[in-house]
Amino acid sequence: TLFAGISTCNAQKAPYPDAMTREASRKEGAKIFEKEFNQLNTDVEREDFAKKLIHLAIETDDDLNSKCALLNIAKNIGVIINNYDIGMNAIELQTKTFEVSYEDLAIPFLEQLSPQKLTLSKLEQFVADIQIRQKLLIGTGDKFTTLAPPYTGTIQRTA
């Protein structure tokens, strides 16, 4: 199956920080935000805090390790409050910024969510997204770029 009419930005992605760097940045970020996080009493407050971290990460362009740490902390808050959308938004931003596989980040996140909170519709959404990612490959010579949502342009299926 071929798809046509899709516009994409071929911006250069940064290398994904190694495990030691990610852990050191996560610990540093946890120290910075620990007091504020511990004062939050409800999942709604924690969700708002995770959104704040995601927005900080979006605005952080000069320190990629901090950007990665902010997104990982937000994703971890998603696990704590069993919030699929928070975690997947953080993962999506990581895959747009860094050379890292969506599946490599998303599957461990999903495994950590409470089965009672992970609805069938969320799993179906995840599977559909994976299928779309696998189908939407645009060849540029011998290189391929996977498109990630939000998709722009018109998708037309051709034989």
Side-chain angles (χ1 to χ4, degrees), residues 16 37 40 49 55 61 108 115:
Y16 194 58
F37 181 78
L40 305 175
F49 182 70
H55 287 287
D61 289 325

Side-chain angles (χ1 to χ4, degrees), residues 24-41:
S25 296
R26 186 201 61 77
K27 285 181 179 180
E28 185 178 331
K31 281 183 199 174
I32 293 168
F33 296 111
E34 181 179 27
K35 183 178 179 182
E36 186 176 354
F37 181 78
N38 288 337
Q39 293 175 347
L40 305 175
N41 297 314

Side-chain angles (χ1 to χ4, degrees), residues 38-110:
N38 288 337
Q39 293 175 347
L40 305 175
N41 297 314
T42 68
D43 285 350
V44 172
E45 291 174 331
R46 292 180 187 105
E47 179 180 350
D48 289 342
F49 182 70
K51 288 177 182 177
K52 173 184 168 183
L53 295 179
I54 289 171
H55 287 287
L56 282 171
I58 291 169
E59 295 171 1
T60 302
D61 289 325
D62 57 340
D63 184 352
L64 293 175
N65 289 334
S66 293
K67 182 180 203 109
C68 186
L70 289 166
L71 293 171
N72 278 328
I73 293 168
K75 179 182 66 174
N76 291 341
I77 292 171
V79 170
I80 292 168
I81 63 174
N82 283 297
N83 188 310
Y84 174 93
D85 294 322
I86 289 293
M88 295 306 273
N89 285 335
I91 289 167
E92 185 66 43
L93 287 169
Q94 284 181 311
T95 61
K96 287 181 178 182
T97 305
F98 301 101
E99 288 289 341
V100 62
S101 162
Y102 176 80
E103 294 86 351
D104 287 347
L105 297 179
I107 291 171
F109 168 73
L110 292 174

Side-chain angles (χ1 to χ4, degrees), residues 1 3 8 12 18-19 22 29 32 35 45 57 62 67 71 85 99 103 109-110 116-117 128 137 140 150-151 154 158:
T1 304
F3 292 86
T8 180
Q12 186 73 18
D18 63 61
R22 288 193 316 270
I32 293 168
K35 183 178 179 182
E45 291 174 331
D62 57 340
K67 182 180 203 109
L71 293 171
D85 294 322
E99 288 289 341
E103 294 86 351
F109 168 73
L110 292 174
Q116 294 82 8
K117 296 281 187 171
L137 295 176
T140 55
Y151 308 107
T154 304
T158 59

